[in-house]
PDB file of all heavy atoms in Angstrom:
ATOM      1  N   GLY Z1446      50.465  21.306 -14.832  1.00 97.00           N
ATOM      2  CA  GLY Z1446      51.154  22.520 -14.411  1.00 97.00           C
ATOM      3  C   GLY Z1446      50.157  23.512 -13.842  1.00 97.00           C
ATOM      4  O   GLY Z1446      48.964  23.196 -13.656  1.00 97.00           O
ATOM      5  N   ALA Z1447      50.648  24.698 -13.601  1.00 95.00           N
ATOM      6  CA  ALA Z1447      49.883  25.712 -12.875  1.00 95.00           C
ATOM      7  C   ALA Z1447      48.513  26.013 -13.496  1.00 95.00           C
ATOM      8  O   ALA Z1447      47.580  26.397 -12.786  1.00 95.00           O
ATOM      9  CB  ALA Z1447      50.702  26.984 -12.782  1.00 95.00           C
ATOM     10  N   GLY Z1448      48.381  25.827 -14.824  1.00 96.00           N
ATOM     11  CA  GLY Z1448      47.108  26.131 -15.480  1.00 96.00           C
ATOM     12  C   GLY Z1448      45.949  25.321 -14.918  1.00 96.00           C
ATOM     13  O   GLY Z1448      44.797  25.778 -14.921  1.00 96.00           O
ATOM     14  N   ALA Z1451      44.523  27.179 -12.095  1.00 95.00           N
ATOM     15  CA  ALA Z1451      44.136  28.579 -12.341  1.00 95.00           C
ATOM     16  C   ALA Z1451      42.650  28.802 -12.047  1.00 95.00           C
ATOM     17  O   ALA Z1451      42.262  29.815 -11.463  1.00 95.00           O
ATOM     18  CB  ALA Z1451      44.460  28.970 -13.781  1.00 95.00           C
ATOM     19  N   GLU Z1452      41.822  27.819 -12.440  1.00 97.00           N
ATOM     20  CA  GLU Z1452      40.375  27.990 -12.220  1.00 97.00           C
ATOM     21  C   GLU Z1452      39.986  27.831 -10.743  1.00 97.00           C
ATOM     22  O   GLU Z1452      38.843  28.088 -10.382  1.00 97.00           O
ATOM     23  CB  GLU Z1452      39.600  27.020 -13.107  1.00 97.00           C
ATOM     24  CG  GLU Z1452      39.653  27.429 -14.564  1.00 97.00           C
ATOM     25  CD  GLU Z1452      39.423  26.250 -15.499  1.00 97.00           C
ATOM     26  OE1 GLU Z1452      38.261  25.970 -15.795  1.00 97.00           O
ATOM     27  OE2 GLU Z1452      40.421  25.614 -15.911  1.00 97.00           O
ATOM     28  N   THR Z1457      49.103  31.491 -11.891  1.00 84.00           N
ATOM     29  CA  THR Z1457      50.097  30.757 -12.683  1.00 84.00           C
ATOM     30  C   THR Z1457      51.390  31.570 -12.684  1.00 84.00           C
ATOM     31  O   THR Z1457      51.425  32.697 -12.192  1.00 84.00           O
ATOM     32  CB  THR Z1457      49.611  30.561 -14.135  1.00 84.00           C
ATOM     33  OG1 THR Z1457      49.380  31.841 -14.704  1.00 84.00           O
ATOM     34  CG2 THR Z1457      48.341  29.726 -14.184  1.00 84.00           C
ATOM     35  N   PHE Z1458      52.446  30.972 -13.223  1.00 79.00           N
ATOM     36  CA  PHE Z1458      53.722  31.686 -13.306  1.00 79.00           C
ATOM     37  C   PHE Z1458      53.795  32.499 -14.597  1.00 79.00           C
ATOM     38  O   PHE Z1458      54.351  33.572 -14.645  1.00 79.00           O
ATOM     39  CB  PHE Z1458      54.901  30.701 -13.288  1.00 79.00           C
ATOM     40  CG  PHE Z1458      54.959  29.902 -12.015  1.00 79.00           C
ATOM     41  CD1 PHE Z1458      54.275  28.695 -11.900  1.00 79.00           C
ATOM     42  CD2 PHE Z1458      55.674  30.373 -10.930  1.00 79.00           C
ATOM     43  CE1 PHE Z1458      54.313  27.973 -10.737  1.00 79.00           C
ATOM     44  CE2 PHE Z1458      55.711  29.646  -9.752  1.00 79.00           C
ATOM     45  CZ  PHE Z1458      55.028  28.442  -9.654  1.00 79.00           C
ATOM     46  N   ARG Z1459      53.229  31.912 -15.679  1.00 75.00           N
ATOM     47  CA  ARG Z1459      53.310  32.548 -16.998  1.00 75.00           C
ATOM     48  C   ARG Z1459      51.959  32.441 -17.679  1.00 75.00           C
ATOM     49  O   ARG Z1459      51.058  31.787 -17.162  1.00 75.00           O
ATOM     50  CB  ARG Z1459      54.361  31.841 -17.874  1.00 75.00           C
ATOM     51  CG  ARG Z1459      55.683  31.700 -17.193  1.00 75.00           C
ATOM     52  CD  ARG Z1459      56.651  30.791 -17.937  1.00 75.00           C
ATOM     53  NE  ARG Z1459      57.846  30.611 -17.118  1.00 75.00           N
ATOM     54  CZ  ARG Z1459      57.971  29.671 -16.174  1.00 75.00           C
ATOM     55  NH1 ARG Z1459      56.997  28.805 -15.957  1.00 75.00           N
ATOM     56  NH2 ARG Z1459      59.076  29.592 -15.455  1.00 75.00           N
ATOM     57  N   SER Z1462      46.450  33.797 -17.792  1.00 50.00           N
ATOM     58  CA  SER Z1462      45.286  33.254 -17.085  1.00 50.00           C
ATOM     59  C   SER Z1462      44.545  34.346 -16.323  1.00 50.00           C
ATOM     60  O   SER Z1462      43.449  34.136 -15.833  1.00 50.00           O
ATOM     61  CB  SER Z1462      45.737  32.177 -16.094  1.00 50.00           C
ATOM     62  OG  SER Z1462      46.579  32.757 -15.137  1.00 50.00           O
ATOM     63  N   MET Z1475      59.388  35.354  -8.730  1.00 76.00           N
ATOM     64  CA  MET Z1475      60.301  34.372  -9.327  1.00 76.00           C
ATOM     65  C   MET Z1475      61.699  34.487  -8.704  1.00 76.00           C
ATOM     66  O   MET Z1475      62.447  33.525  -8.663  1.00 76.00           O
ATOM     67  CB  MET Z1475      60.400  34.576 -10.840  1.00 76.00           C
ATOM     68  CG  MET Z1475      59.096  34.310 -11.577  1.00 76.00           C
ATOM     69  SD  MET Z1475      58.600  32.587 -11.508  1.00 76.00           S
ATOM     70  CE  MET Z1475      59.289  32.026 -13.039  1.00 76.00           C
ATOM     71  N   GLN Z1532      53.687  19.465 -11.538  1.00 98.00           N
ATOM     72  CA  GLN Z1532      54.671  20.501 -11.174  1.00 98.00           C
ATOM     73  C   GLN Z1532      54.065  21.435 -10.126  1.00 98.00           C
ATOM     74  O   GLN Z1532      54.724  22.348  -9.649  1.00 98.00           O
ATOM     75  CB  GLN Z1532      55.049  21.312 -12.416  1.00 98.00           C
ATOM     76  CG  GLN Z1532      55.698  20.474 -13.492  1.00 98.00           C
ATOM     77  CD  GLN Z1532      55.707  21.205 -14.830  1.00 98.00           C
ATOM     78  OE1 GLN Z1532      56.639  21.945 -15.126  1.00 98.00           O
ATOM     79  NE2 GLN Z1532      54.687  21.010 -15.632  1.00 98.00           N
ATOM     80  N   HIS Z1550      57.947  19.115  -8.181  1.00 97.00           N
ATOM     81  CA  HIS Z1550      58.539  20.332  -7.608  1.00 97.00           C
ATOM     82  C   HIS Z1550      58.244  20.477  -6.116  1.00 97.00           C
ATOM     83  O   HIS Z1550      58.268  21.577  -5.580  1.00 97.00           O
ATOM     84  CB  HIS Z1550      58.051  21.563  -8.389  1.00 97.00           C
ATOM     85  CG  HIS Z1550      58.558  21.598  -9.804  1.00 97.00           C
ATOM     86  ND1 HIS Z1550      58.080  22.465 -10.764  1.00 97.00           N
ATOM     87  CD2 HIS Z1550      59.523  20.860 -10.425  1.00 97.00           C
ATOM     88  CE1 HIS Z1550      58.731  22.264 -11.902  1.00 97.00           C
ATOM     89  NE2 HIS Z1550      59.603  21.289 -11.728  1.00 97.00           N
ATOM     90  N   VAL Z1590      60.818  22.796  -4.641  1.00 96.00           N
ATOM     91  CA  VAL Z1590      62.110  22.788  -5.346  1.00 96.00           C
ATOM     92  C   VAL Z1590      62.373  24.202  -5.837  1.00 96.00           C
ATOM     93  O   VAL Z1590      61.566  24.764  -6.579  1.00 96.00           O
ATOM     94  CB  VAL Z1590      62.060  21.808  -6.542  1.00 96.00           C
ATOM     95  CG1 VAL Z1590      63.353  21.876  -7.348  1.00 96.00           C
ATOM     96  CG2 VAL Z1590      61.810  20.385  -6.054  1.00 96.00           C
ATOM     97  N   PHE Z1592      64.800  27.133  -7.820  1.00 90.00           N
ATOM     98  CA  PHE Z1592      65.668  27.176  -8.999  1.00 90.00           C
ATOM     99  C   PHE Z1592      67.089  26.851  -8.569  1.00 90.00           C
ATOM    100  O   PHE Z1592      67.567  27.355  -7.548  1.00 90.00           O
ATOM    101  CB  PHE Z1592      65.599  28.544  -9.678  1.00 90.00           C
ATOM    102  CG  PHE Z1592      64.300  28.734 -10.404  1.00 90.00           C
ATOM    103  CD1 PHE Z1592      63.305  29.533  -9.878  1.00 90.00           C
ATOM    104  CD2 PHE Z1592      64.050  28.062 -11.593  1.00 90.00           C
ATOM    105  CE1 PHE Z1592      62.084  29.672 -10.522  1.00 90.00           C
ATOM    106  CE2 PHE Z1592      62.838  28.188 -12.243  1.00 90.00           C
ATOM    107  CZ  PHE Z1592      61.854  29.001 -11.706  1.00 90.00           C
ATOM    108  N   GLY Z1618      47.794  22.136 -18.878  1.00 98.00           N
ATOM    109  CA  GLY Z1618      47.987  23.387 -18.147  1.00 98.00           C
ATOM    110  C   GLY Z1618      49.426  23.694 -17.773  1.00 98.00           C
ATOM    111  O   GLY Z1618      49.676  24.297 -16.739  1.00 98.00           O
ATOM    112  N   THR Z1619      50.357  23.265 -18.631  1.00 97.00           N
ATOM    113  CA  THR Z1619      51.762  23.625 -18.369  1.00 97.00           C
ATOM    114  C   THR Z1619      52.370  24.306 -19.594  1.00 97.00           C
ATOM    115  O   THR Z1619      52.069  23.912 -20.729  1.00 97.00           O
ATOM    116  CB  THR Z1619      52.628  22.411 -17.944  1.00 97.00           C
ATOM    117  OG1 THR Z1619      54.008  22.804 -17.917  1.00 97.00           O
ATOM    118  CG2 THR Z1619      52.463  21.212 -18.855  1.00 97.00           C
ATOM    119  N   SER Z1620      53.233  25.291 -19.340  1.00 96.00           N
ATOM    120  CA  SER Z1620      53.849  26.029 -20.447  1.00 96.00           C
ATOM    121  C   SER Z1620      54.924  25.198 -21.144  1.00 96.00           C
ATOM    122  O   SER Z1620      55.431  25.602 -22.189  1.00 96.00           O
ATOM    123  CB  SER Z1620      54.447  27.340 -19.930  1.00 96.00           C
ATOM    124  OG  SER Z1620      55.318  27.074 -18.847  1.00 96.00           O
ATOM    125  N   VAL Z1623      59.828  24.358 -18.593  1.00 92.00           N
ATOM    126  CA  VAL Z1623      60.729  24.134 -17.459  1.00 92.00           C
ATOM    127  C   VAL Z1623      61.128  22.645 -17.427  1.00 92.00           C
ATOM    128  O   VAL Z1623      60.278  21.765 -17.286  1.00 92.00           O
ATOM    129  CB  VAL Z1623      60.071  24.560 -16.129  1.00 92.00           C
ATOM    130  CG1 VAL Z1623      60.983  24.254 -14.943  1.00 92.00           C
ATOM    131  CG2 VAL Z1623      59.750  26.057 -16.159  1.00 92.00           C
ATOM    132  N   ASN Z1644      45.621  23.096 -23.194  1.00 97.00           N
ATOM    133  CA  ASN Z1644      46.186  24.350 -22.676  1.00 97.00           C
ATOM    134  C   ASN Z1644      45.361  25.527 -23.188  1.00 97.00           C
ATOM    135  O   ASN Z1644      44.822  25.485 -24.294  1.00 97.00           O
ATOM    136  CB  ASN Z1644      47.647  24.501 -23.134  1.00 97.00           C
ATOM    137  CG  ASN Z1644      48.401  25.524 -22.294  1.00 97.00           C
ATOM    138  OD1 ASN Z1644      48.051  26.697 -22.240  1.00 97.00           O
ATOM    139  ND2 ASN Z1644      49.435  25.068 -21.604  1.00 97.00           N
ATOM    140  N   ALA Z1645      45.296  26.572 -22.395  1.00 96.00           N
ATOM    141  CA  ALA Z1645      44.552  27.775 -22.785  1.00 96.00           C
ATOM    142  C   ALA Z1645      45.242  28.491 -23.946  1.00 96.00           C
ATOM    143  O   ALA Z1645      44.605  29.235 -24.688  1.00 96.00           O
ATOM    144  CB  ALA Z1645      44.432  28.707 -21.580  1.00 96.00           C
ATOM    145  N   GLU Z1646      46.556  28.248 -24.094  1.00 96.00           N
ATOM    146  CA  GLU Z1646      47.320  28.951 -25.134  1.00 96.00           C
ATOM    147  C   GLU Z1646      48.247  27.994 -25.859  1.00 96.00           C
ATOM    148  O   GLU Z1646      48.492  26.886 -25.382  1.00 96.00           O
ATOM    149  CB  GLU Z1646      48.195  30.040 -24.492  1.00 96.00           C
ATOM    150  CG  GLU Z1646      47.403  31.156 -23.873  1.00 96.00           C
ATOM    151  CD  GLU Z1646      48.273  32.069 -23.019  1.00 96.00           C
ATOM    152  OE1 GLU Z1646      49.512  32.006 -23.143  1.00 96.00           O
ATOM    153  OE2 GLU Z1646      47.688  32.815 -22.225  1.00 96.00           O
ATOM    154  N   GLY Z1660      41.950  25.374 -24.602  1.00 97.00           N
ATOM    155  CA  GLY Z1660      40.815  25.700 -23.739  1.00 97.00           C
ATOM    156  C   GLY Z1660      41.200  25.516 -22.289  1.00 97.00           C
ATOM    157  O   GLY Z1660      42.343  25.175 -21.965  1.00 97.00           O
ATOM    158  N   LYS Z1661      40.239  25.732 -21.426  1.00 97.00           N
ATOM    159  CA  LYS Z1661      40.494  25.608 -19.991  1.00 97.00           C
ATOM    160  C   LYS Z1661      40.395  24.150 -19.568  1.00 97.00           C
ATOM    161  O   LYS Z1661      39.436  23.464 -19.938  1.00 97.00           O
ATOM    162  CB  LYS Z1661      39.476  26.432 -19.213  1.00 97.00           C
ATOM    163  CG  LYS Z1661      39.603  27.908 -19.442  1.00 97.00           C
ATOM    164  CD  LYS Z1661      38.624  28.651 -18.589  1.00 97.00           C
ATOM    165  CE  LYS Z1661      38.879  30.148 -18.705  1.00 97.00           C
ATOM    166  NZ  LYS Z1661      37.953  30.936 -17.909  1.00 97.00           N
ATOM    167  N   SER Z1662      41.340  23.713 -18.761  1.00 98.00           N
ATOM    168  CA  SER Z1662      41.325  22.305 -18.352  1.00 98.00           C
ATOM    169  C   SER Z1662      40.068  21.966 -17.556  1.00 98.00           C
ATOM    170  O   SER Z1662      39.574  20.845 -17.629  1.00 98.00           O
ATOM    171  CB  SER Z1662      42.581  21.974 -17.550  1.00 98.00           C
ATOM    172  OG  SER Z1662      42.777  22.906 -16.523  1.00 98.00           O
TER     173      SER Z1662
HETATM  174  P1  OAD I 803      53.250  28.235 -16.109  1.00 90.59           P
HETATM  175  O1  OAD I 803      52.716  29.380 -15.339  1.00 90.59           O
HETATM  176  O2  OAD I 803      54.583  28.360 -16.755  1.00 90.59           O
HETATM  177  O3  OAD I 803      52.235  27.883 -17.275  1.00 90.59           O
HETATM  178  C1  OAD I 803      50.867  27.801 -17.053  1.00 90.59           C
HETATM  179  C2  OAD I 803      50.245  27.319 -18.329  1.00 90.59           C
HETATM  180  O4  OAD I 803      48.875  27.084 -18.068  1.00 90.59           O
HETATM  181  C3  OAD I 803      50.321  28.322 -19.474  1.00 90.59           C
HETATM  182  O5  OAD I 803      50.785  27.634 -20.626  1.00 90.59           O
HETATM  183  C4  OAD I 803      48.878  28.793 -19.655  1.00 90.59           C
HETATM  184  O6  OAD I 803      48.552  29.027 -21.011  1.00 90.59           O
HETATM  185  C5  OAD I 803      48.110  27.594 -19.138  1.00 90.59           C
HETATM  186  N1  OAD I 803      46.784  27.887 -18.567  1.00 90.59           N
HETATM  187  C6  OAD I 803      46.379  28.958 -17.843  1.00 90.59           C
HETATM  188  N2  OAD I 803      45.118  28.796 -17.417  1.00 90.59           N
HETATM  189  C7  OAD I 803      44.705  27.595 -17.888  1.00 90.59           C
HETATM  190  C8  OAD I 803      43.498  26.831 -17.776  1.00 90.59           C
HETATM  191  N3  OAD I 803      42.448  27.276 -17.084  1.00 90.59           N
HETATM  192  N4  OAD I 803      43.450  25.631 -18.390  1.00 90.59           N
HETATM  193  C9  OAD I 803      44.500  25.148 -19.093  1.00 90.59           C
HETATM  194  N5  OAD I 803      45.660  25.824 -19.231  1.00 90.59           N
HETATM  195  C10 OAD I 803      45.771  27.017 -18.636  1.00 90.59           C
HETATM  196  O7  OAD I 803      53.161  26.973 -15.142  1.00 90.59           O
HETATM  197  P2  OAD I 803      53.980  25.619 -15.188  1.00 90.59           P
HETATM  198  O8  OAD I 803      54.079  25.089 -16.565  1.00 90.59           O
HETATM  199  O9  OAD I 803      53.409  24.765 -14.133  1.00 90.59           O
HETATM  200  O10 OAD I 803      58.672  25.740 -11.019  1.00 90.59           O
HETATM  201  O11 OAD I 803      55.402  26.137 -14.746  1.00 90.59           O
HETATM  202  C11 OAD I 803      56.413  25.200 -14.593  1.00 90.59           C
HETATM  203  C12 OAD I 803      57.277  25.577 -13.437  1.00 90.59           C
HETATM  204  O12 OAD I 803      57.788  26.885 -13.638  1.00 90.59           O
HETATM  205  C13 OAD I 803      56.577  25.692 -12.107  1.00 90.59           C
HETATM  206  O13 OAD I 803      56.375  24.458 -11.472  1.00 90.59           O
HETATM  207  C14 OAD I 803      57.522  26.535 -11.334  1.00 90.59           C
HETATM  208  C15 OAD I 803      57.848  27.571 -12.381  1.00 90.59           C
HETATM  209  O14 OAD I 803      59.057  28.142 -12.279  1.00 90.59           O
HETATM  210  C16 OAD I 803      59.216  25.827  -9.803  1.00 90.59           C
HETATM  211  O15 OAD I 803      58.778  26.551  -8.936  1.00 90.59           O
HETATM  212  C17 OAD I 803      60.425  24.957  -9.614  1.00 90.59           C
END
Side-chain angles (χ1 to χ4, degrees):
E1452 288 156 87
T1457 59
F1458 298 89
R1459 309 170 186 87
S1462 62
M1475 295 294 265
Q1532 298 164 89
H1550 293 168
V1590 175
F1592 287 104
T1619 171
S1620 53
V1623 177
N1644 198 299
E1646 294 169 15
K1661 294 183 173 179
S1662 50

